[in-house]
Amino acid sequence: MPEGDVLRRTADRFERALGGRVLVRSDLRWPTAATVDLVGRTVLGTRSYGKHLLTRFDDGRTLHTHLRMEGYWRIARTGSPEAAARSPQVRAVLATAEWTAVGYHLGMLDVVRTRDEPTVIGHLGPDLLAETVDLDEALRRWAARGSTPVAEVLLDQTVTAGIGTIYAAESLFAQRLWPWTPADELADPRQLLAVARSQLQRAVAEGRPPGHVHGRLRRPCHRCGTPIAVGQARRPPMERPIFYCPRCQAAPTVPPDGS
């Protein structure tokens, strides 16, 4: 699933291609928005919030999209074959005279009044890629999760927005924390969230996430050479894989979901 860094880079691309420009094409292939026409509207700007994208227009409306597991946006020059957007996987097309944004496999799409954006993102915790992050609010929400495993709290978008399986695993590895440590036993959750924020910011700048543990099953740990293992956070059907080093992130017992 695309995480906060991907959405921030997508928002930046939207800004460069569409920001301040008038739409000449609007095609929202979504049951609840199929009749919405944005042609003639000026794009005021696009921002990301966690894993959500908000594109605002001069008529007081916002296009809200979420990529879910497989979604992505592509920018193509208007008039090119890619901009034709004929694929059945296309869910949205926004075009100016110069550039066309095509959304594939989008998992969520709404058009709301800009002042009503809280109805679609208001339940989320602080965005770790915001210029200023209210970590005190994040820690209040963290504390409310009690003894929930720390990996699951990191994945909980109502605690902080933007972390997925990559940054959950990589931030825990950076702090040498066993992913199933009860959240209320963590000595310094503020430091862990700061590490995750730093990793997200670096990935936005560099275009790639850390690569120490995530997706490296059975490959040697970059620190100690121990084969990387994988366990499970959350219960089915919401389970997520969490990669970790059994030595650097030693546990008092073997996690019950395997390694």
Side-chain angles (χ1 to χ4, degrees):
M1 177 182 288
E3 303 185 28
D5 59 321
V6 173
L7 272 297
R8 176 54 57 86
R9 292 198 303 272
T10 300
D12 290 345
R13 289 196 294 271
F14 263 65
E15 283 288 289
R16 292 192 296 269
L18 307 182
R21 296 172 174 84
V22 176
L23 293 185
V24 298
R25 180 184 177 192
S26 164
D27 184 3
L28 303 181
R29 304 173 190 176
W30 196 267
T32 58
T35 61
V36 174
D37 186 5
L38 297 170
V39 171
R41 302 273 59 89
T42 298
V43 180
L44 297 182
T46 299
R47 62 170 292 211
S48 63
Y49 193 104
K51 301 178 184 182
H52 299 251
L53 200 68
L54 302 166
T55 301
R56 295 165 178 159
F57 303 96
D58 64 347
D59 64 350
R61 288 185 291 178
T62 294
L63 173 66
H64 161 246
T65 55
H66 191 295
L67 304 183
R68 295 287 192 191
M69 294 294 291
E70 300 178 345
Y72 58 94
W73 283 92
R74 291 289 183 266
I75 305 293
R77 188 167 292 279
T78 297
S80 68
E82 295 81 2
R86 296 189 179 93
S87 169
Q89 283 77 46
V90 172
R91 298 293 177 264
V93 184
L94 302 174
T96 70
E98 293 182 280
W99 297 103
T100 297
V102 183
Y104 296 85
H105 297 288
L106 301 180
M108 187 183 300
L109 187 152
D110 305 281
V111 178
V112 300
R113 293 178 298 183
T114 300
R115 67 173 180 265
D116 292 336
E117 286 177 5
T119 64
V120 291
I121 63 170
H123 64 290
L124 301 172
D127 178 10
L128 284 184
L129 280 173
E131 289 188 15
T132 302
V133 180
D134 187 350
L135 283 181
D136 288 336
E137 173 61 17
L139 292 172
R140 185 190 68 78
R141 294 173 179 236
W142 181 288
R145 296 302 309 275
S147 61
T148 302
V150 63
E152 295 187 17
V153 179
L154 287 173
L155 292 172
D156 187 343
Q157 301 301 292
T158 69
V159 176
T160 55
I163 298 175
T165 53
I166 296 174
Y167 294 96
E170 295 293 341
S171 59
L172 289 168
F173 175 77
Q175 294 295 99
R176 297 176 180 266
L177 291 170
W178 184 51
W180 296 272
T181 302
D184 56 5
E185 293 182 11
L186 193 63
D188 192 0
R190 182 182 293 268
Q191 175 61 22
L192 177 60
L193 293 178
V195 167
R197 171 173 163 81
S198 177
Q199 290 181 343
L200 283 161
Q201 290 173 322
R202 188 179 306 116
V204 171
E206 298 177 356
R208 63 180 184 277
H212 294 295
V213 287
H214 184 79
R216 300 190 66 247
L217 181 62
R218 300 188 185 90
R219 297 175 65 186
C221 172
H222 289 160
R223 283 198 193 116
C224 68
T226 300
I228 297 299
V230 65
Q232 178 180 297
R234 299 177 175 172
R235 296 180 179 178
M238 299 300 292
E239 70 271 22
R240 295 290 183 270
I242 297 292
F243 295 84
Y244 67 104
C245 173
R247 182 174 180 183
C248 294
Q249 299 165 266
T253 59
V254 176
D257 41 40
S259 60

